[in-house]
Amino acid sequence: MPATIKDVAKRAGVAVSTVSYAMNNSPKISEETRRKVLRAAQELNFRPSGAARNLKKRKTQTIGLFLYDLGGPFYSQVIEGIQEVVTSHGFNLVVCSTFGGETSSAHRFIKEQFVDGAIIMGTQISDELILQSASESFPIVVLDRELKGDYVHNVLITYEQGAYDAVTHLIKLGRRNIEFLSGPVTSFDNSLRYNGYKRALQDHGLQVPSRISLFGRCMEVGGYQATKVMLAGSQLPDAIFAANDEMAIGAIRALTEGGVRVPEDIAVVGFDNIILGPYINPPLTTVGHSKYEVGAIATQLIFSAQKEGNSILLPTQLIVRKSCGAKDSYAEQK
């Protein structure tokens, strides 16, 4: 299998965006770093695709990023990785919301190809539109689904395994009644995290709840409200696994206000390792993954796009802090 830009970055010990800077003779890196990258590329027999050069001949010199939600700490790090690689190629970045579906500006940008390539993380953009729009002159990378098609590429994360690891950790700590705090049930990422949650319970001989009872809309206020409703019930779990950190933080706030001790009474684990996680009380146990790398690799796929779709799967890592009831095992990541 031919070497990829990620392979070069790993060999040289630099970020993917740094490889892009080196390949494009950017003044933003030192000559020493450039030589190190080029040496690694030569050792791996890496050859940049001509697609990037061809892309520069097109109309807008702009890449489009289409997100359902333009706010929140998760997206800022993804955008940082995208911006680095876009800039290294001398392109501009436009960010647009997919809210509104077919009436959204994002839908029009893609359908009428007002940009030279698209990175999509918004389920309101349909599979059909993506498959119809993708072409050699308009490559597309999706971050929120698995989609096969010419000039359509996927960057995915091991969400299911990450959830499995988190729930297994809670079980090993003696928790037996673990609730899943869900985001939107139609979300691809949320579904994978729920599958990992269920599989961990089943593998350890624990009963999977017959239905999801906590919904937080992937927002802190949603996690807070869902947990408030839960506290009004007669039976409480001994742990909550939230599908993202924002909901987990909202849950901790509601539990604390309700006089419930975290983690003594109810342990809480989130997902995404957002910047705020280590600084709440107690610090949040979570599942981490490189959001910057997701953005950087997705953008590089735009510039090195081939007709045959690429599918890249990035790993997760359990980051243990105090909200689960265990001693921090990755304190250096705070």
Side-chain angles (χ1 to χ4, degrees), residues 180-185 190 212-227 242-244 246-248 250-251:
F180 180 70
L181 177 49
S182 178
V185 293
N190 188 82
I212 299 173
S213 58
L214 302 180
F215 294 91
R217 308 187 309 280
C218 284
M219 300 168 60
E220 182 179 346
V221 65
Y224 175 84
Q225 292 169 344
T227 305
N244 78 347
E246 292 181 70
M247 292 191 295

Side-chain angles (χ1 to χ4, degrees), residues 10 40 44-45 50 63 77-78 82 98 126 141 143 181 185 199 201 215-216 236 268 284 287 295 300 321:
K10 184 176 181 180
L44 294 171
N45 198 29
I63 301 301
Q77 294 177 59
V78 175
I82 292 171
T98 65
S126 68
V141 178
L143 306 180
L181 177 49
V185 293
R199 184 161 60 87
L201 294 181
F215 294 91
L236 298 180
V268 178
L284 181 64
V287 178
Q300 194 57 46
R321 302 190 183 107

Side-chain angles (χ1 to χ4, degrees), residues 233-305:
S234 58
Q235 291 188 332
L236 298 180
D238 57 15
I240 294 173
F241 171 58
N244 78 347
D245 284 350
E246 292 181 70
M247 292 191 295
I249 290 170
I252 289 175
R253 182 161 62 92
L255 292 171
T256 302
E257 288 180 5
V260 177
R261 299 172 302 166
V262 178
E264 292 85 354
D265 300 323
I266 298 180
V268 178
V269 175
F271 206 113
D272 286 335
N273 193 29
I274 64 174
I275 294 173
L276 186 60
Y279 302 105
I280 66 166
N281 185 27
L284 181 64
T285 295
T286 185
V287 178
H289 52 89
S290 177
K291 294 166 282 296
Y292 174 92
E293 189 176 16
V294 168
I297 290 175
T299 313
Q300 194 57 46
L301 285 171
I302 292 287
F303 288 102
S304 61

Side-chain angles (χ1 to χ4, degrees), residues 78-98:
V78 175
I79 292 172
E80 182 182 356
I82 292 171
Q83 183 69 68
E84 281 276 345
V85 179
V86 166
T87 302
S88 76
H89 284 277
F91 272 54
N92 297 308
L93 176 67
V94 60
V95 183
C96 194
S97 172
T98 65

Side-chain angles (χ1 to χ4, degrees), residues 21 57 64 75 122 148 158 193 201 203 208 233 237 248 309 327:
Y21 283 132
K57 298 175 183 177
Y75 295 103
K148 295 185 182 297
T158 56
R193 296 172 197 198
L201 294 181
D203 284 357
V208 178
K327 184 180 179 181

